[in-house]
Amino acid sequence: MTKLLLIGIKDLKLMFRDRAALILILLAPFLLTLGMGLVTGRFSGNSGSGISDIPIVIVNLDNDSLGDALVNVFNSDDLAELVEPTLSEDSEAARRLVDEDEVAAAIIIPKGFTQSVIPQNGNNAANEEVKIEFYSNPSRPTSAGIIKAILDGFMARLDEMQLSGMTSISQLIVSGRLSPQDANQAGEEMGARLQQAGNLSEATAIKLNTSTSEGEAVEFDLLSYFAPGMALMFLMYTVSYGGRSILAEKAEGTLPRLLISPTNSLQVLGGKVFGIFLTGAAQMLILIGASSLLFRLQWGDPLGVLLLVLAAVFGATGWGLLITALARTPAQIGSVGAAVMLIFAMLGGSFVSLDNLPAYVQTIGKITPNAWAMDGFTTLALGGTLSALSTPLLALLTMGILLFLVSALLFGKKNLVQK
Amino acid sequence: MPNILEAQNLVKNYDSFTAVKGISFDIKEGEIFSLLGPNGAGKTTTISMLSTLYTPTSGDATIGGHSITKEPMAVKGVIGVVPQEIALYEDLTAKENLVFWGQMYGLSGKSLNSRVDEVLEQIGLTDKAKNRVKTYSGGMKRRVNIGVGLLHKPRLLFMDEPTVGIDPQSRRAILDTVKDLNKQGMTVLYTTHYMEEAAELSNRVGIIDHGELIALGTQDELTKQVGETETLILHIGENEDPDALAKAVSAVEGVQKADVTDNEVSVITADAKDILAAVVTKANERGIKIRSMDIREPNLEAVFLHLTGRALRD
């Protein structure tokens, strides 16, 4: 294990001494991100997201105060440029619009929603759970993610109001100022007053800002899309460069020399793989750190970012190994690696949001670590937490494991000793 | 002295090509043993099998009592290897290279640091230890390449053509280092295609050609195979016909053998002075102009020529 680590650390050191490689793995993605920011006006005060007029359909079966409030949220001036809502009275028709890729999501507010939150006229319907249905379009993950974040913000405010109302009534009962028989009436009045006081309308001021579970404001920044996009594109360069070093060491004689030392071949290959992983992780974390400091970019939940980086590098390392296992010379890895880097960047949404690409491209894009990692980074930038990352994390880990197994089989047939 | 290495019928096939054809030899503890042969003779393949890098197609060898096929990890602890190519990380300094390779041989802590300092002293690079290897001359790189092989104080050191492509001064330094290491008790297996190096360094020499060990013994034992002969080397111009000269010279009385190498004809005879006049006459009769002549005492070159009909540099 120690030798495996030593080989990995040695490779990391060598990578950071190669000026040409440093330009490509750190400077190039950083400059491209900077360029994107300049082109889109990110640095001149125009912090538009670049995503606009997201088509959604809202079915308001509630036709009561909260249902109307939610409709008003999406029709508010603050969201006028971002969201393009249409109203429908048919849930099935709304779902069909999503299935047909006409809209990014359907929000179906069920009958009795307001009643379930604020019981009125002695009705105890609050005990029955009535949920808003969010029917999202999987081929527009970013747009759907934004709509979901707005909806979550609205629901979070509702929960806060409901909880604080219940707590107040409980305290009144405990202190003897309110009899249990009068609690229902008091709840109704409190709910009505809360609506009248405009607390809900505050909830509508979500704009593109949503609230994280900690209540911290998170702004969806265009660079939150381009920065991970560029970092992930050049991550593919890093992993192919790392794979190239395996064949380069073979050609330069250091790989045979390692195999002659009291180090077994698994330790040597494991060390090389660890070196690729370590370098990729270092690259991503440096880029994230630099963009956070210099561009004041909010990447989201730090633990989520860290886990997503590790998973993305793991998946990308799998691809780097597969390319290495299939190539015969370091030069082949260089050219194939560069091609894969660009193709994966396009398919994985590093340049253009996958939402804007045809469905079949989005499906093909799922083979790239870029697509899954972009999905995860967008979720985090929109205020998503670790729990929202389960799908991309699982996909990236599965991708890495599968590619490692295939590469191991191919390496088994490959002669890493003789030239 | 006991044998530190015993090789028995080592064979290495690559598809239909046989690089090593059943080589057997022993190396005694404390000696310098040279494998002498031209490029492509099978020297590096033999060392690669002995150092456990390649698995023999058949045959086996024991090193320090351990089988190279059954106990490769134990063998790796006994041997040190200086490969023919410079197998170093050029973007690391000499010291960083030595530290890394020392760690690969299980050294750590103070023992690693003191051993690295000793080796740097031994290869004469203490002052430049913190320079990256890529800034070194070819000779300096060769010295670091050797230093890596010495870090763990191996009992048996394999040196595969360590003087290829370097200047005479660095070559001299490397040969002196080999002798010093041997004086300190290290056994050395040295491969070369330079007859002079094998002659200067070795207690015993194995001559290898086309994957076969064609002669083995001390220099005296080997030169006696040639007999009490001398070699007369005839240097002719590029436009002359060496084959015609060799054919003509073969007819001279007292000539045992005449072979062609480039623009030279090597003539083996009991006493070169006795045939000089006749050889010149034959050349004149054929209209071939001899530019110069050398007379060589019996040596390893002559042995190789005697055994193969070719010069070592062929």
Side-chain angles (χ1 to χ4, degrees), chain B residues 22 83 161 197 209 212 233 255 281-282:
Chain B
E161 307 219 36
E197 291 184 2
D209 186 43
E212 290 180 284
I233 310 289
V255 170
T281 304
K282 286 285 182 190

Side-chain angles (χ1 to χ4, degrees), chain B residues 217-231:
Chain B
T218 63
Q219 285 188 66
D220 282 347
E221 288 167 349
L222 292 173
T223 50
K224 276 178 187 168
Q225 290 186 19
V226 188
E228 296 298 318
T229 58
E230 290 178 338
T231 305

Side-chain angles (χ1 to χ4, degrees), chain A residues 3 6-7 10 13-14 17-18 249 251-254 256-264 417-419, chain B residues 12 14 53-54 73 76 81 83 85-89 91-92 96 100-101 103-105 132 145 148-149:
Chain A
K3 288 183 180 176
L6 289 168
I7 293 169
K10 177 265 298 173
K13 195 186 279 186
L14 285 173
R17 287 195 180 172
D18 184 339
E249 282 215 44
E252 288 158 11
T254 43
R257 193 166 207 168
L258 279 169
L259 293 167
I260 289 169
S261 72
T263 310
N264 65 47
V417 177
Q418 288 160 14
K419 291 179 186 175
Chain B
K12 184 65 186 174
Y14 299 112
L53 188 61
Y54 297 174
M73 288 304 271
K76 288 175 178 186
V81 182
E85 57 216 331
I86 294 165
L88 300 169
Y89 298 106
D91 275 323
L92 298 184
E96 287 170 334
F100 173 75
W101 289 109
Q103 288 168 329
M104 289 299 108
Y105 277 90
R132 290 193 191 179
N145 205 34
V148 169

Side-chain angles (χ1 to χ4, degrees), chain B residues 49-115:
Chain B
M49 285 191 283
L50 293 172
S51 59
T52 75
L53 188 61
Y54 297 174
T55 306
T57 306
S58 64
D60 201 353
T62 56
I63 295 177
H66 305 288
S67 160
I68 59 168
T69 55
K70 298 180 186 74
E71 306 161 274
M73 288 304 271
V75 168
K76 288 175 178 186
V78 177
I79 62 170
V81 182
V82 179
Q84 186 173 342
E85 57 216 331
I86 294 165
L88 300 169
Y89 298 106
E90 298 229 331
D91 275 323
L92 298 184
T93 66
K95 186 162 188 170
E96 287 170 334
N97 264 288
L98 291 173
V99 166
F100 173 75
W101 289 109
Q103 288 168 329
M104 289 299 108
Y105 277 90
L107 301 176
S108 61
K110 286 182 182 173
S111 62
L112 172 65
N113 290 332
S114 63
R115 188 62 193 137

Side-chain angles (χ1 to χ4, degrees), chain B residues 173-187:
Chain B
I174 287 172
L175 295 179
D176 289 343
T177 303
V178 176
K179 286 192 229 176
D180 286 344
L181 291 169
N182 185 243
K183 276 181 195 163
Q184 291 163 24
M186 196 176 284
T187 310

Side-chain angles (χ1 to χ4, degrees), chain B residues 9-63:
Chain B
N9 291 314
L10 284 176
V11 174
K12 184 65 186 174
N13 292 335
Y14 299 112
D15 299 325
S16 58
F17 172 69
T18 303
V20 175
K21 302 169 183 171
I23 280 182
S24 299
F25 62 96
D26 303 332
I27 297 179
K28 294 179 181 15
E29 189 112 41
E31 75 171 338
I32 298 178
F33 181 93
S34 287
L35 271 180
L36 175 68
N39 291 330
K43 303 186 295 291
T44 299
T45 305
T46 302
I47 279 205
S48 297
M49 285 191 283
L50 293 172
S51 59
T52 75
L53 188 61
Y54 297 174
T55 306
T57 306
S58 64
D60 201 353
T62 56
I63 295 177

Side-chain angles (χ1 to χ4, degrees), chain A residues 290-330:
Chain A
S291 59
S292 299
L293 286 173
L294 298 174
F295 303 152
R296 300 203 174 283
L297 196 59
Q298 301 292 320
W299 287 78
D301 178 21
L303 181 62
V305 170
L306 179 66
L307 289 177
L308 189 60
V309 164
L310 296 180
V313 175
F314 183 71
T317 302
W319 277 109
L321 280 181
L322 185 67
I323 295 168
T324 308
L326 291 171
R328 289 184 179 176
T329 63

Side-chain angles (χ1 to χ4, degrees), chain A residues 49 103 167 176 195 201 224 227 266 269 272 316 339 345 354 377 385 399:
Chain A
S49 68
V103 294
T167 307
Q195 289 178 62
S201 63
S224 297
L266 273 180
L269 203 55
K272 295 297 297 176
L354 279 175
F377 281 122
T385 53
M399 178 186 292

